[in-house]
Structures are given as C-alpha cells and as structure tokens.
Amino acid sequence: MIPRIQKRGQRTLGLLYYLYGPGKYEEHTDPHLVASWDGNAPDPGRDQSATLKQLQQLLDQPLANIDAAERPKKHVWHLSVRNAAEDRILSDEEWGDIARRMVAAAGIDDPDQGPGCRWAAVRHADDHIHIVATLVREDGYKPDLDHDAARVQAQARLLEAELGLRRLNKGDGTAAQRPTSAERHKAARQGRERTAREELRETVRRAVAGAAGEQEFFDRLAAAGLLIRKRAAPSGDLLGYKVALPEDRNKDGEPVFYPGARLAPDLSLPRIRERWSAYAPAENSPASGAISRTVPGGPAGARRRAASAAWQAVLVIEDGQDAVAAAHIAAAGEVLDALAKTSAAHTRHELREAAYAFERASRSHVRAVRGEDRALRQAARDLVQGGPALGRGEDGATTAMVIDMLFFLVTVAGHWHAKKGHAQQAAAARQAAEHLRAAYQTAAAQPLGVLHQRGRRLRRPLLDRQTSVVREALPGLAERVLAEPGWYALAVTLADAEAVGHNPAALLADAAGRRELGTAESVSDVLVWRLRRNADLPADTSGTMPVASAAEAPAQRAPERMHPQPGARRGRG
C-alpha cells in the first residue's frame, strides 16, 4: 500500500472535478464517496441531486470561522492511497476504514483528539482512493501536520498486515524520487519503457561511473545526447546542473530539465564531487596518477581487474568500518553501471536490470567515506575506457568471471544492509543478484562448456590426481564438488594451473578459503573462475592451445564411473 501526499492546493472544487471526472486518459470509473468527516457528505457520483459545488462548500465551510488574513494560502490537502497490482480488490467499506485511519494518523481528523478537519474520500478505481481535506478544523484552529507523511506510511504498514496485502519495506528517505503518474502516462504515450526521469537517472549514473572530474563527466553526458544546463555563481564557480532528453518536451515545446538532485540524492553536483575529491590532485594534472587513463589488456583485462577489485571489496564490506563499507557499496554501483554500459548484446539486458535494481542499494544514511574505494572506481573507469566487450572469446569469458564475483559482492552488500535494518536496500540487492545470476548463466555457458569438454578428455591418471587434490584441499566440500557437472571444468583448470608451475592443492585451498561459497549454485564453477583469475590462466580456451593439452587424450574418455551419475545433487545456496 502506497500513501502519497500530493502538493497542497487552493481550489477544492478543481480537485473534486478531477476526482469525479473521467480522468486524463478516461481511466476513472464509477467515482463515488466511500467515507467523509461525518458520514453524511453528499456524493455527486451516486446521488443525482448532489453537486460538486455542494460538496465543495461543505468541505470549505470551516474557512469562514477564521479571518481571511489567517486562512492558509493553500488549504487543500490531498492524499492518494494505492494498493499493489497483485492485492485483492477491497470493498468500499474497507476503503472507508482505510480513509478514516489515514486522516487520523495524519492529524487531519482524529476523533480522540476533538474537532478535526472536514474531508472526503473518493474511489474511482478498484485499487486506490483519494482523500481531499480542508486544512482548518471545525473549531477554527489549523491541524498539526508535522511529519504527516511518515505517520501515514506507518499506518500503511499496519494496514498491510491486517488486510493481508503486499507488505512494502520501510524506507529511510534515501530513495530516488518516484516518477509521477503524469510522467508514467507520458512515457506510455511516447512508447518508452521508462520515464524520462528514470532514463536520465540511468544515463547520469553511467556518466559518473569511474569519471575523474567535472569535464569528463559533462563530456560523457553530452556524448550520451543529453541537453545540459549548468548553474554558476557570479564568481563563475559551478554550483549545479540540469539535464533533459532532447525529445522530452512540455506543452510549450520546451525541454523538461531535471536537476541532478531530483534524479537521485547522490547525483547532485556536490555529492558527485565527493567521489572525485578523494583522488586529488586536480584532474589532468601531471602529478595525478590516481586514476589511470590506459587500460592494459583491453576489455578482457579490465574485467579481470574488476573481478579482483570486487573480491577485495567483499572482504572490506564483511570486515570493515561502516563508512568504508558504504563507500565500497556505492562504488560497486559504479562498476555495475560501467559493466552494463560495455556489455555484449546477449548479457546487456540482465546487466542493465541488475545495475538499475542495485541503484537503490547504493545509498543509505551511513555516509560513505571516500578514498578507500579507489580500486572499485578504477575498475569502473577501466571498464568504460576498455570499451564494449565481444560476446565470445576471452572478452566473453572474462565477462562471466567478473559477473560471478559481482554476484558475491552484491550478495554481501545485501547482507550488510539487512544487518543494518535497511530493508529496501537489502531487497534491492537481492533483486540485483537475481539479474546477475541470469546474466552469468548466459555469459558462462560457452566458456564453461569448452572447459567441460576438455575436462572430459583428461587422461585417467591426471583426472585421478585432480580428484585427490580436491579431497586434500577441500575435505569438507570435496564430495559436493566431485558430484557437480562443473567438476570437469575445475579438473582441467587445476591441470592448467599445474602445467604453468602452480601447486594446485595450495591454489585451490586458497581460492576456497575466500568465503562466500555457500551462496553458490555450483561451487566448482566459482572455483574455476577464482583459479583462472588467481593463476592468470586464459578465461577462454576455445581458440588457443590449452596448456594442459599434453595430458589430454582426444580419443579416450575416462570411465563414466568416475563422474557423477544422472540426477546427482547440485549444490545450491
């Protein structure tokens, strides 16, 4: 249930005309009263003898009890209360009770507190009502509406539980402003999937990801095709900015601009500057080595380094101070934005959705202390400057590698928020993790398939040796790993690592000791990516001569009894 207090107004009759009218898009059906201050207000919707003017005069009558100079300039209070699409349809009696409890909670009309304001609740759709009230009490005093929004939200949480409705997570005031109904309808008319506000927020976040300073940030906005207006002080110092989509126009044909702070609290210019301030000296300074402008290894190299940075961030969030953990979680959002921006077509949708969902998890009232999140911001920058990755080969395989590690980073961020009681952020992190899981399955299918086939061709003695390595290094996980379909890919990865001089048992024990295996669907898959990253092995071996090829037998396959039987259990987190 979402209660939303609208802007106060001056014309009660104008609002009633809208509530009882057909709506802007003929969406209003059967407008009628479900409750009022005394239970006897005329209902122009179902009483042919009642008029909107009569209802307006009764609602505004308390204004006559005070001098004109003391009357509030905007005396019309307006609250909408909407249920979720999956909720059951409530009766008029239930909506009437909801209205009475909402006005009592807000301070509009509480029977236990004496004379209240006059109000009426109108229903013109199955899923919501509107409450209109006059902000002068019957005794001529004005109501105390301090924190009315918080009080109606708290009442909504109680009503959700009592009525068996979808229970929303309690917010903390750090969420981005929701699009208005007018913005949603406008997007629908224009055939856009998201509103202009949402598209702008996503574009600005991508422009921020890994940016080193103002010039680069604004250059990225311009390259994305946005219209930009900057606000400067008389001294010439930049104070803020606004952005607009070129095609988003008002009724006069002018672009609709949104300040950064109206897109999201952390997208105001002062908050963005906090990210840059930790990397002084100034942008483009010869001494400024803080953020590199070169990307060794191209997209694949950038993805490998992002995976490493994500792993270090996991450790910091689990064990670090809250302010430092908050900075790493915010920087993780930059990495997700950068990865979505540079992803191949077959993973782009899920990665974009993951970044979009995690945006809510990147903010809380724990103020981030910037500076120690340098590695993640560098990773975001490298991803952007490395450019789009191809969907196949090493680029595609390292995409799977970084998605795998980002899944764990997002999961740990969700755990951190849950411990802090940040319900909305924890839910957003869980949603982002599901999108990352789907993206990983798409990205990993081909490179893991190649490794799987190589593993099935390993000669029997080598496969036996890698089996012993797993049992030695992972005594508590060995049987689970050996029963997973991903075991073959892990076996050939261990063989590749051994062929280039690593101790496979030590390498495996170190990789497994780095926690967060319990949430993995396939422990062996996770270990494959950790080993190939730590041992600097190619992530994709489909187009190169594998280092363990001498130990593979193209014409011979190890007996099936060495491998999991059909239907073998697959580990799940």
Side-chain angles (χ1 to χ4, degrees):
M1 177 179 292
I2 301 176
R4 181 177 295 173
I5 297 176
Q6 312 291 337
K7 291 182 179 180
R8 296 183 187 181
Q10 303 178 44
R11 297 184 62 249
T12 304
L13 186 60
L15 178 56
L16 291 176
Y17 269 117
Y18 169 74
L19 297 180
Y20 276 95
K24 293 181 179 179
Y25 310 100
E26 303 295 327
E27 73 274 22
H28 296 176
T29 59
D30 187 24
H32 60 281
L33 281 186
V34 293
S36 64
W37 74 97
D38 63 356
N40 293 311
D43 181 7
R46 291 188 174 176
D47 183 353
Q48 293 183 353
S49 64
T51 66
L52 295 175
K53 185 65 176 177
Q54 289 174 337
L55 179 57
Q56 174 264 318
Q57 289 175 335
L58 288 171
L59 285 169
D60 288 347
Q61 195 171 62
L63 293 173
N65 297 337
I66 59 176
D67 292 337
E70 296 181 0
R71 295 172 189 171
K73 292 181 179 180
K74 294 186 176 182
H75 66 273
V76 182
W77 186 85
H78 178 199
L79 172 72
S80 63
V81 186
R82 183 179 300 272
N83 280 349
E86 62 268 29
D87 285 336
R88 65 182 178 88
I89 296 177
L90 302 182
S91 66
D92 280 352
E93 289 72 20
E94 289 173 310
W95 276 119
D97 184 57
I98 290 170
R100 283 183 282 272
R101 290 178 61 173
M102 284 293 177
V103 294
I108 292 294
D109 183 20
D110 186 347
D112 296 333
Q113 301 297 322
C117 300
R118 294 190 177 188
W119 59 272
V122 179
R123 182 181 187 181
H124 55 208
D126 287 338
D127 64 349
H128 70 278
I129 59 171
H130 293 261
I131 302 173
V132 53
T134 299
L135 295 181
V136 175
R137 297 183 344 193
E138 296 279 6
D139 58 7
Y141 289 96
K142 300 170 187 176
D144 178 9
L145 297 183
D146 288 345
H147 310 296
D148 56 344
R151 293 199 297 265
V152 297
Q153 288 290 346
Q155 186 64 226
R157 304 293 82 78
L158 295 174
L159 287 163
E160 289 163 357
E162 293 176 20
L163 298 174
L165 306 176
R166 177 186 174 188
R167 303 184 70 172
L168 301 182
N169 291 317
K170 183 180 179 181
D172 62 359
T174 63
Q177 184 176 337
R178 293 175 178 268
T180 65
S181 58
E183 290 171 351
R184 292 194 299 271
H185 286 304
K186 186 176 183 180
R189 292 197 309 273
Q190 295 176 347
R192 294 202 308 263
E193 180 182 353
R194 291 175 177 159
T195 65
R197 184 194 301 272
E198 291 168 317
E199 288 188 22
L200 288 168
R201 181 163 64 241
E202 183 178 46
T203 304
V204 173
R205 285 182 62 85
R206 288 186 178 185
V208 172
E214 288 180 9
Q215 187 59 53
E216 182 177 11
F217 169 60
F218 286 115
D219 286 347
R220 289 184 181 185
L221 292 180
L226 300 189
L227 303 179
I228 307 166
R229 284 183 182 172
K230 300 178 183 179
R231 182 167 60 90
S235 63
D237 293 336
L238 189 61
L239 299 177
Y241 72 99
K242 297 179 180 180
V243 288
L245 295 175
E247 66 276 14
D248 184 35
R249 304 271 171 165
N250 61 21
K251 62 181 181 180
D252 298 321
E254 300 170 338
V256 180
F257 281 89
Y258 292 82
R262 285 184 58 197
L263 299 178
D266 57 344
L267 294 182
S268 68
L269 189 58
R271 292 292 301 275
I272 292 174
R273 280 172 171 158
E274 291 177 5
R275 312 186 195 201
W276 301 326
S277 63
Y279 305 99
E283 181 188 9
N284 296 328
S285 165
S288 152
I291 297 185
S292 169
R293 293 182 176 275
T294 61
V295 187
R303 278 155 173 71
R304 279 182 173 272
R305 289 189 295 279
S308 297
W311 169 245
Q312 294 302 318
V314 167
L315 302 180
V316 171
I317 293 170
E318 286 185 331
D319 303 325
Q321 297 177 350
D322 285 348
V324 177
H328 280 75
I329 291 172
E334 292 193 47
V335 176
L336 286 171
D337 285 323
L339 187 63
K341 181 177 181 178
T342 59
S343 59
H346 65 304
T347 56
R348 186 176 304 141
H349 174 74
E350 292 294 347
L351 289 175
R352 182 186 178 192
E353 292 298 318
Y356 185 80
F358 193 74
E359 182 265 344
R360 179 65 189 98
S362 65
R363 290 185 305 276
S364 71
H365 281 304
V366 178
R367 192 62 177 265
V369 174
R370 297 288 185 170
E372 294 188 41
D373 58 340
R374 180 189 306 268
L376 280 177
R377 293 209 72 241
Q378 176 69 59
R381 182 174 182 80
D382 284 353
L383 288 169
V384 172
Q385 294 201 333
L390 300 176
R392 298 179 181 176
E394 188 73 1
D395 284 359
T398 52
T399 295
M401 180 184 290
V402 70
I403 293 172
D404 176 66
M405 190 52 68
L406 285 171
F407 171 84
F408 290 115
L409 175 54
V410 166
T411 300
V412 169
H415 293 167
W416 184 85
H417 279 304
K419 287 190 294 185
K420 299 295 177 187
H422 304 160
Q424 288 188 354
Q425 290 90 332
R430 289 193 296 271
Q431 185 181 1
E434 288 307 307
H435 287 297
L436 286 173
R437 190 192 300 275
Y440 169 79
Q441 291 169 348
T442 300
Q446 187 271 338
L448 282 179
V450 171
L451 292 171
H452 178 86
Q453 292 304 317
R454 287 186 56 213
R456 290 183 68 90
R457 294 198 300 269
L458 287 177
R459 291 178 178 176
R460 172 71 174 275
L462 183 55
L463 191 62
D464 285 346
R465 187 159 76 247
Q466 306 311 332
T467 300
S468 298
V469 166
V470 170
R471 289 198 166 109
E472 173 191 348
L474 310 176
L477 287 170
E479 298 311 313
R480 173 179 174 179
V481 169
L482 294 171
E484 290 180 344
W487 156 239
Y488 295 106
L490 178 59
V492 79
T493 295
L494 289 168
D496 287 346
E498 185 177 26
V500 296
H502 289 282
N503 180 326
L507 197 67
L508 184 59
D510 179 66
R514 298 195 171 197
R515 285 169 284 183
E516 276 303 324
L517 286 176
T519 55
E521 284 194 0
S522 171
V523 173
S524 50
D525 285 3
V526 173
L527 292 173
V528 163
W529 298 123
R530 290 187 185 178
L531 290 173
R532 303 198 80 83
R533 178 172 56 84
N534 294 345
D536 200 25
L537 299 171
D540 178 79
T541 61
S542 58
T544 61
M545 180 63 69
V547 294
S549 59
E552 298 174 24
Q556 180 180 349
R557 178 176 297 172
E560 286 299 319
R561 60 186 177 86
M562 292 292 298
H563 310 306
Q565 299 298 315
R569 176 174 67 89
R570 185 176 186 180
R572 290 186 178 275

